[in-house]
Amino acid sequence: MGYHDTIGDEAAKMLEFVENGTTDCADGTMDVPASAYTDTAYFAREMSEIFLKLPLLAALTAEMPNPGDYKAMDLMGKPILITRRTDGSVTAMYNVCSHRGMILKPEGHGNAKRFSCPYHAWTFANDGKLIGVAEPRKFGEICKENYNLTPLPCVEAGGIIWVSLDPDADMDIGKHLGGMLDDLEAYELDKWHYCGSRRIYGANWKIAYDGYLEGYHFAAAHPETIHPRTFSNIMSFTAFGPHLRVGYPQVRIKEALGALPRETWGEHENEGYDFVRTIFPNVSIFFAPEITQVAQLIPGPTPDKNMTNLIFIRRNGPKDAEDAQAIEGMMDWLRDVVDVEDYGVGLQVQKGMESGARNFVTFGRNERGNQFFHKYVDYFVSDDPGKAPPIL
């Protein structure tokens, strides 16, 4: 079965849910301790066993498509520098001068063949090799190879640049993503145009992530933005390891799919149905017809906080000044929806968790994606090496 055949079957399943007034359900409800969102020891385990070990999205190919392009960023409190070398390959390293620990480049994008430290002017090639020491005769003799920038495991796949903060990480990205890599590659994201980014701040990273995994809240939390387009509390779920493709039927799904031959339904995403793709542990991708939003959740520095980068891409760049202005407006609108209607709620949830009013929260049968996600978090932080991974 081909990719579009699979998508077509998922669209058909969403249509059936709409017609029957049902949704994709788990076998029962599931309780999660409130401490999972507040406890510092549990948070530390999440950081050490998940975020400091697994491959993480660091950049999109579209953000730095040309030789010499770079992106400087903070990833899990670590200053990271990602570069594209002259041969087109990518490199990741700590954005830290090997002389006295100075940050080399401020956060942002640029293009440079070399990086000069703003403190003492040591110079590095864009692959991290030390190529120049200021006034070397006075400084003293050193072996330059010992002072290259500290590298990090890095691979580019599916239009995304993946980095691990574990120097010994297994960067078999096909193994990590499974079928989700096929899903990403179907979109040929490496050919898309980078529009810009926005940043928002919210509660515990799992509270933020929970919102991407269910549409149960659409009617109550998004009455004027999402709910007019999309049914509330009707979802479908497909898992690839810990990653999910979550389907959301539009209110016009019957009309839209009814006008198309059944064998073509899988070729018409956004025409009657949408998907949110979540990549464990901290990425959500929403391919919308106007623009695509990639949400990158950065936990911490304490359990009650996260910083989220919203990265926006489109198949093509702006056609003219008016189109460019419309893109800016769309990015602002999507930022505001997530910030006010989702993260605003999340901050209140965090306050409720910390109050001690309840020892646990409950995910319903209809919140199947959330149940699956929390089981995977527990799987990764577990001390049991024989524990089997969750099954959707």
Side-chain angles (χ1 to χ4, degrees):
M1 180 180 290
Y3 173 75
H4 287 113
D5 295 322
T6 300
I7 296 297
D9 287 348
E10 292 182 23
K13 183 166 64 173
M14 284 185 265
L15 177 59
E16 181 180 351
F17 288 151
V18 169
E19 291 177 333
N20 295 335
T22 57
T23 189
D24 200 345
C25 285
D27 292 335
T29 62
M30 173 182 167
D31 293 340
V32 171
S35 59
Y37 300 91
T38 62
D39 182 69
T40 55
Y42 190 78
F43 179 74
R45 289 283 295 169
E46 292 173 339
M47 298 306 102
S48 64
E49 299 304 312
I50 298 176
F51 285 91
L52 297 182
K53 288 187 177 180
L54 295 181
L56 302 175
L57 181 153
L60 304 183
T61 297
E63 291 183 78
M64 39 184 300
N66 303 311
D69 285 350
Y70 71 85
K71 179 181 180 180
M73 65 177 297
D74 182 277
L75 187 62
M76 302 306 303
K78 314 280 188 185
I80 305 300
L81 182 63
I82 311 156
T83 66
R84 190 171 297 281
R85 297 184 288 197
T86 54
D87 64 0
S89 62
V90 291
T91 299
M93 61 207 95
Y94 281 100
N95 183 23
V96 177
C97 180
S98 54
H99 169 217
R100 294 271 293 279
M102 177 66 182
I103 302 300
L104 287 173
K105 300 298 294 185
E107 183 178 30
H109 301 80
N111 185 283
K113 293 181 179 179
R114 59 189 60 186
F115 304 101
S116 180
C117 178
Y119 196 6
H120 295 97
W122 281 34
T123 305
F124 303 85
N126 84 333
D127 63 358
K129 292 180 180 177
L130 175 63
I131 56 177
V133 174
E135 300 192 55
R137 183 176 62 84
K138 293 181 181 179
F139 185 84
E141 186 175 345
I142 63 168
C143 177
K144 286 185 178 178
E145 290 183 0
N146 294 335
Y147 288 86
N148 295 335
L149 299 182
T150 303
L152 288 165
C154 177
V155 66
E156 187 171 20
I160 294 172
I161 298 167
W162 309 88
V163 170
S164 176
L165 299 173
D166 177 1
D168 300 318
D170 177 5
M171 292 302 284
D172 184 343
I173 204 67
K175 175 183 174 183
H176 174 64
L177 293 176
M180 185 58 80
L181 181 57
D182 297 332
D183 199 287
L184 293 173
E185 288 181 338
Y187 278 87
E188 298 183 319
L189 295 182
D190 57 314
K191 300 176 183 177
W192 285 38
H193 172 78
Y194 171 63
C195 301
S197 64
R198 302 290 188 268
R199 177 169 290 171
I200 57 178
Y201 297 88
N204 179 274
W205 70 280
K206 297 189 300 299
I207 289 177
Y209 206 73
D210 278 336
Y212 294 108
L213 292 168
E214 49 88 359
Y216 187 29
H217 69 284
F218 287 175
H222 303 293
E224 298 179 0
T225 52
I226 297 176
H227 192 226
R229 169 192 174 95
T230 307
F231 282 103
S232 191
N233 202 24
I234 301 180
M235 300 81 69
S236 69
F237 301 97
T238 300
F240 309 95
H243 321 294
L244 286 171
R245 184 167 61 221
V246 186
Y248 295 103
Q250 298 174 8
V251 295
R252 57 184 296 272
I253 186 171
K254 293 182 183 180
E255 172 190 350
L257 295 185
L260 298 168
R262 170 61 182 84
E263 63 272 15
T264 69
W265 284 6
E267 302 170 16
H268 294 274
E269 185 173 342
N270 300 132
E271 297 180 38
Y273 62 93
D274 302 299
F275 289 105
V276 169
R277 291 156 172 90
T278 61
I279 301 175
F280 191 90
N282 67 329
V283 173
S284 165
I285 304 176
F286 174 45
F287 290 97
E290 304 88 356
I291 199 169
T292 288
Q293 173 183 285
V294 181
Q296 176 200 40
L297 285 70
I298 310 295
T302 52
D304 59 327
K305 293 179 172 62
N306 93 84
M307 177 184 75
T308 297
N309 296 315
L310 302 176
I311 308 169
F312 296 96
I313 54 175
R314 233 175 51 153
R315 287 189 182 273
N316 302 298
K319 298 186 290 290
D320 49 36
E322 182 179 357
D323 191 28
Q325 185 176 6
I327 291 173
E328 291 293 323
M330 179 57 66
M331 290 191 291
D332 286 341
W333 184 82
L334 286 168
R335 184 265 322 274
D336 291 344
V337 169
V338 178
D339 190 24
V340 176
E341 299 181 6
D342 287 306
Y343 279 38
V345 168
L347 290 168
Q348 295 303 305
V349 171
Q350 185 74 46
K351 186 175 181 180
M353 297 284 195
E354 293 172 350
S355 72
R358 299 284 293 175
N359 292 328
F360 59 88
V361 296
T362 302
F363 290 100
R365 296 176 59 243
N366 56 325
E367 297 171 303
R368 188 180 185 189
N370 303 83
Q371 293 192 26
F372 183 68
F373 164 63
H374 283 273
K375 289 176 182 177
Y376 249 107
V377 172
D378 285 341
Y379 166 73
F380 277 106
V381 302
S382 171
D383 290 324
D384 181 3
K387 189 174 183 178
I391 298 175
L392 184 67

